[in-house]
Amino acid sequence: MSSLRTCDHNGMPSQTALVIDDEAQIRRAVSHALSEDFAKVVEAATGADGLRLNALEKPSLIVLDLGLPDLSGISVAEEIRKSSDAMILVLSARHADQEKATLLDAGADDYVTKPFSTLELKARVRALLRRASSHRATGTTIRHGTLSMDLDARTLLRDGKLVHLTPTEWELVRVLMTNAGRTMTHRQLFAAVWPGRQYGDAQQYLRVHVANVRRKIESNALDPRYIFTEPGVGYRFAASQ
Amino acid sequence: MTRAHASIWTLAFLSLTAATIALFAARNQLGEAHVALVFLLVVLGASAAGGRVLGMTTALFAFLAFDWFFLPPYNTLLVRNPFDWLVLFVFLITSIVAAQLLYRARSERAAVERAEALREADKLKDALLASLSHDLRTPLTTIKALAHELQPLGDERTFIIEEQADRLNRLVTNLLEVARLEGGALPLDIQINAADDLLGAVVQQVAGRPDQDRLKVSLDDPATLSFGRFDFVHSLRILGNLVDNAFKHVPDTSPIEVTGGVEGEVLIFRVSDHGNGIPVVERDGVFTPFYRSTAKASGPRSGGLGLSIARGLAEAQGGTLTYREHDSGGATFELRLPAARP
């Protein structure tokens, strides 16, 4: 089980990260980037090795490259997910939107596109860590920017004023806001808002509702500040820092 | 006619002849049903082995043999019993229908196999390009990461290294895109998408730029939701390329307008700038790969692939990308995609 903070009570990094990439230079660069937030970083050059180390070291973060020589990224992610709640960050090449969505559906938590800057990588890792620790947040009110969601009363306020949402729109916003900072694939959102429904060609309903919701909660629907589009993958509700 | 084909035809006629002789020998003990069914078997065998034309030909000859040898009066094509005409013609029709059905089943199977083969070829192409993409992007990742690690040391050159790595990455992306377009290995994910969503994504993409405020995005009809049937990622790339070009070729503070709206059955996105437009002589050329405009452009060159990729992506989705001159003399690019109603 992953802990929810990476630092012990003295503020020192206390957890392990695992980097799985067949390129030695990339492993080095990623390990270096992670060394600030993690006490121990282990490396693997193949999927098989990565799975072995995962079982041995039980890391709380796994950075997984998609272009591994022996196993597909999806099979490694699925295998890890069977026994661990660790955060999985995927390194993907562009033009692989379908793959990204499939990986997120299979249990990966986020992705970074190659070539990435180490700054980007660190930012994503920190966002994941923050998200992990905020899961502990109690209370039934969620606040982001000018939006305030009361889960018990099932109301959404914007600048203190009530926003009128249909039941479906409410469900959509609730799922997005409770998963703030996380990219949710079209499929995941659809399954959450229309449980039990066949995904098939009703995906367009999702887009219609997202468009309607944006018009209600964004000050400019064409320049969103809350609901961001991840092209080809899904949507992400921006977490307030 | 190939040798194999010729031998099948020969075999069919030999079978028919043999059947006729055998049946003739027992003519007095056999009824019309026996003859009809045996001949039908021969016709089916000929269709299965040699195709529709052979099947039909065999049917015709079987029909004639049936009439001549087995329907009184024998040795004529006349028929004494009027109901025998019924037998004859039902036999003929059955033979022809059977031949046709067999033919259809076979061509359907052939079509399925062809489609399978095409899909396999596409998958192979896609795998190759993915592999190439990975191999090109990996060293770029290392270069970028190391340049970034050196930045705190204060050497300004590390920023240039990172910038050049980005530039190389853009070129790699463009080249892979062209390879996909030319090779027909472009994955298409056509769905019903909202115009709002696409325009918002363009704004998101421009967000990092210092001159991002030049971009003005709007809907022709803000009160309604407009939808189209297109591939989101490809269309974003088209608009992104057009907007990048506008920033590059009109390097001042004038606005760059992106609008979206429905006109009839078409969803139109327009990207307009307030520069000098494109001279008439160059208006076709700009859409060809590696075209280099004779007009000056500041900033890093992308090798002239942006517009040809944009047009290729537009057409792959069943749309068009065209140029139109602005009232103020600037350039307007129009992307047309099929509109949709969810």
Side-chain angles (χ1 to χ4, degrees):
Chain A
M1 271 300 295
S2 62
S3 308
L4 299 172
R5 291 151 56 90
T6 59
C7 298
D8 60 22
H9 55 274
N10 287 327
M12 299 299 292
S14 61
Q15 293 193 332
T16 308
L18 167 63
V19 181
I20 312 178
D21 191 314
D22 57 338
E23 268 291 312
Q25 286 303 328
I26 295 190
R27 284 199 302 271
R28 203 202 63 77
V30 173
S31 299
H32 183 89
L34 295 176
S35 59
E36 277 176 43
D37 294 315
F38 291 85
K40 185 176 178 191
V41 183
V42 288
E43 299 177 14
T46 62
D49 233 12
L51 289 171
R52 187 182 56 82
L53 280 174
N54 178 53
L56 194 67
E57 303 277 348
K58 305 219 188 308
S60 54
L61 169 73
I62 296 147
V63 178
L64 171 65
D65 177 41
L66 287 191
L68 294 172
D70 57 342
L71 296 169
S72 77
I74 297 173
S75 52
V76 175
E78 280 176 350
E79 199 55 42
I80 293 174
R81 267 288 162 262
K82 281 186 194 161
S83 58
S84 155
D85 277 358
M87 298 172 288
I88 301 178
L89 181 68
V90 165
L91 301 179
S92 81
R94 218 169 132 191
H95 287 305
D97 305 297
Q98 204 34 53
E99 214 180 4
K100 282 182 212 163
T102 312
L103 265 135
L104 289 174
D105 285 334
D109 292 285
D110 209 341
Y111 58 87
V112 177
T113 310
K114 286 201 267 195
F116 50 83
S117 69
T118 34
L119 203 66
E120 230 183 293
L121 181 73
K122 278 195 243 194
R124 292 287 166 124
V125 170
R126 286 186 181 149
L128 280 175
L129 292 172
R130 257 200 311 275
R131 210 196 296 162
S133 61
S134 74
H135 269 160
R136 272 234 200 109
T138 51
T140 54
T141 307
I142 304 178
R143 269 187 206 89
H144 286 285
T146 63
L147 295 177
S148 172
M149 170 174 277
D150 185 330
L151 291 168
D152 280 338
R154 293 174 75 85
T155 55
L156 179 71
L157 297 174
R158 184 181 154 205
D159 284 322
K161 285 201 293 274
L162 189 71
V163 178
H164 292 281
L165 298 170
T166 68
T168 309
E169 289 169 355
W170 162 264
E171 205 48 42
L172 180 61
V173 180
R174 187 191 66 77
V175 172
L176 282 167
M177 279 184 80
T178 52
N179 284 284
R182 179 176 162 206
T183 300
M184 300 213 65
T185 66
H186 297 304
R187 200 173 273 271
Q188 284 168 345
L189 276 171
F190 188 85
V193 179
W194 288 278
R197 188 106 173 243
Q198 266 294 90
Y199 184 53
D201 40 36
Q203 317 156 6
Q204 43 188 282
Y205 294 159
L206 181 62
R207 288 166 176 69
V208 173
H209 287 287
V210 168
N212 282 323
V213 163
R214 271 187 174 140
R215 285 177 178 220
K216 289 182 182 180
I217 69 174
E218 303 275 3
S219 45
N220 180 1
L222 299 180
D223 187 7
R225 292 301 148 103
Y226 295 112
I227 302 180
F228 284 98
T229 302
E230 297 284 338
V233 181
Y235 296 99
R236 175 174 49 90
F237 194 94
S240 44
Q241 304 300 308
Chain B
M1 194 182 270
T2 63
R3 272 194 55 180
H5 215 200
S7 48
I8 291 182
W9 276 67
T10 314
L11 194 61
F13 277 96
L14 280 175
S15 310
L16 187 61
T17 312
T20 311
I21 292 173
L23 290 166
F24 188 82
R27 191 168 61 178
N28 297 321
Q29 289 110 311
L30 296 173
E32 281 150 18
H34 303 103
V35 179
L37 289 172
V38 171
F39 277 155
L40 200 55
L41 262 177
V42 176
V43 169
L44 284 175
S47 292
R52 192 168 51 167
V53 177
L54 177 58
M56 304 274 189
T57 314
T58 313
L60 182 65
F61 277 94
F63 169 85
L64 291 171
F66 193 2
D67 190 344
W68 189 273
F69 290 111
F70 298 98
L71 290 177
Y74 297 144
N75 301 338
T76 68
L77 285 179
L78 293 171
V79 165
R80 188 182 303 139
N81 183 349
F83 284 111
D84 281 346
W85 280 116
L86 187 64
V87 171
L88 264 180
F89 278 100
V90 170
F91 166 79
L92 188 63
I93 291 167
T94 311
S95 309
I96 291 175
V97 168
Q100 179 66 11
L101 282 175
L102 268 167
Y103 169 76
R104 197 138 52 110
R106 263 157 129 219
S107 40
E108 265 172 32
R109 211 203 18 210
V112 165
E113 278 172 7
R114 260 197 309 271
E116 279 285 317
L118 269 171
R119 260 199 300 273
E120 278 303 309
D122 273 345
K123 263 205 296 200
L124 196 66
K125 263 185 256 179
D126 205 51
L128 275 169
L129 284 172
S131 173
L132 191 63
S133 170
H134 180 259
D135 288 348
L136 284 167
R137 295 206 152 100
T138 297
L140 281 173
T141 307
T142 306
I143 292 171
K144 232 181 120 120
L146 288 175
H148 202 82
E149 273 179 47
L150 293 172
Q151 265 156 29
L153 297 179
D155 194 336
E156 296 262 302
R157 291 177 290 185
T158 57
F159 289 100
I160 298 176
I161 293 174
E162 203 171 344
E163 210 177 81
Q164 294 300 302
D166 283 337
R167 179 175 162 188
L168 205 53
N169 182 43
R170 276 196 297 274
L171 184 59
V172 165
T173 306
N174 280 344
L175 287 171
L176 285 171
E177 195 99 64
V178 169
R180 281 198 149 85
L181 277 166
E182 301 281 317
L186 193 72
L188 275 176
D189 185 20
I190 306 244
Q191 291 181 21
I192 295 190
N193 282 298
D196 275 28
D197 214 346
L198 187 62
L199 290 172
V202 176
V203 174
Q204 264 177 240
Q205 246 185 17
V206 165
R209 301 181 66 117
D211 49 359
Q212 58 180 282
D213 291 327
R214 285 180 66 191
L215 187 73
K216 311 275 180 233
V217 168
S218 63
L219 287 162
D220 291 345
D221 183 7
T224 59
L225 288 175
S226 314
F227 293 89
R229 200 176 286 276
F230 55 88
D231 179 308
F232 193 91
V233 174
H234 294 327
S235 298
L236 178 59
R237 186 119 164 85
I238 295 170
L239 292 180
N241 280 8
L242 292 173
V243 166
D244 278 345
N245 277 3
F247 272 109
K248 201 195 319 173
H249 291 288
V250 189
D252 51 28
T253 55
S254 61
I256 295 168
E257 288 125 7
V258 183
T259 63
V262 173
E263 284 171 27
E265 300 293 309
V266 176
L267 182 61
I268 302 185
F269 292 97
R270 292 187 176 91
V271 178
S272 309
D273 64 49
H274 292 268
N276 298 320
I278 297 180
V280 182
V281 289
E282 294 189 348
R283 283 179 198 176
D284 283 321
V286 284
F287 288 103
T288 56
F290 296 112
Y291 182 84
R292 263 197 153 66
S293 164
T294 50
K296 281 205 190 50
S298 78
R301 288 176 172 280
S302 69
L305 283 173
L307 278 177
S308 75
I309 287 174
R311 182 172 261 182
L313 288 174
E315 287 170 2
Q317 297 174 74
T320 61
L321 180 64
T322 51
Y323 174 85
R324 215 186 62 182
E325 197 179 290
H326 215 203
D327 299 327
S328 70
T332 298
F333 285 88
E334 293 188 339
L335 169 66
R336 282 181 169 76
L337 296 163
R341 238 176 307 277

